[in-house]
Amino acid sequence: LYIDIATPATWVTDARVEMIDIDLDVVRLRDGSVAVLDEDEFEDHRVRFSYPDWLVDRARTTAAELVLKLEAGNEPFRLTPQRWLEQV
């Protein structure tokens, strides 16, 4: 399982959704271990692109919450795909 941390998706038009990848990724590997990837890239981009503090805090909080859910065996997106498919 591979999860990109990104800004919330927003509909720009009836046919276009936009979001921004915030670099951090949370993965659950085949052996069941869970990790946060690309923290170095996130830190580099945080400085280079002047990410606002609220965005940094939210990205880190989201990653930490996902780690806890995956470690507990909770699939965070079990119902999400169907909900999105119903909108298109």
Side-chain angles (χ1 to χ4, degrees):
L1 179 66
Y2 194 100
I3 305 168
D4 278 325
I5 305 299
T7 60
T10 56
W11 288 97
V12 178
T13 68
D14 287 342
R16 183 174 161 193
V17 175
E18 288 184 354
M19 61 185 216
I20 300 170
D21 186 335
I22 307 296
D23 310 313
L24 292 177
D25 304 302
V26 178
V27 297
R28 183 178 60 214
L29 304 172
R30 290 178 194 238
D31 67 3
S33 62
V34 178
V36 177
L37 304 180
D38 301 327
E39 292 182 87
D40 55 338
E41 181 182 5
F42 177 73
E43 184 60 24
D44 176 54
H45 288 171
R46 181 190 69 77
V47 173
R48 182 184 303 174
F49 302 123
S50 300
Y51 288 173
D53 290 342
W54 67 265
L55 181 66
V56 172
D57 292 343
R58 188 66 190 134
R60 288 183 175 149
T61 298
T62 299
E65 290 170 350
L66 288 167
V67 166
L68 292 174
K69 286 182 179 186
L70 293 177
E71 287 177 339
N74 295 326
E75 170 59 59
F77 304 111
R78 194 166 30 109
L79 301 176
T80 300
Q82 185 60 38
R83 193 171 70 230
W84 278 104
L85 289 172
E86 290 170 359
Q87 293 185 42
V88 291

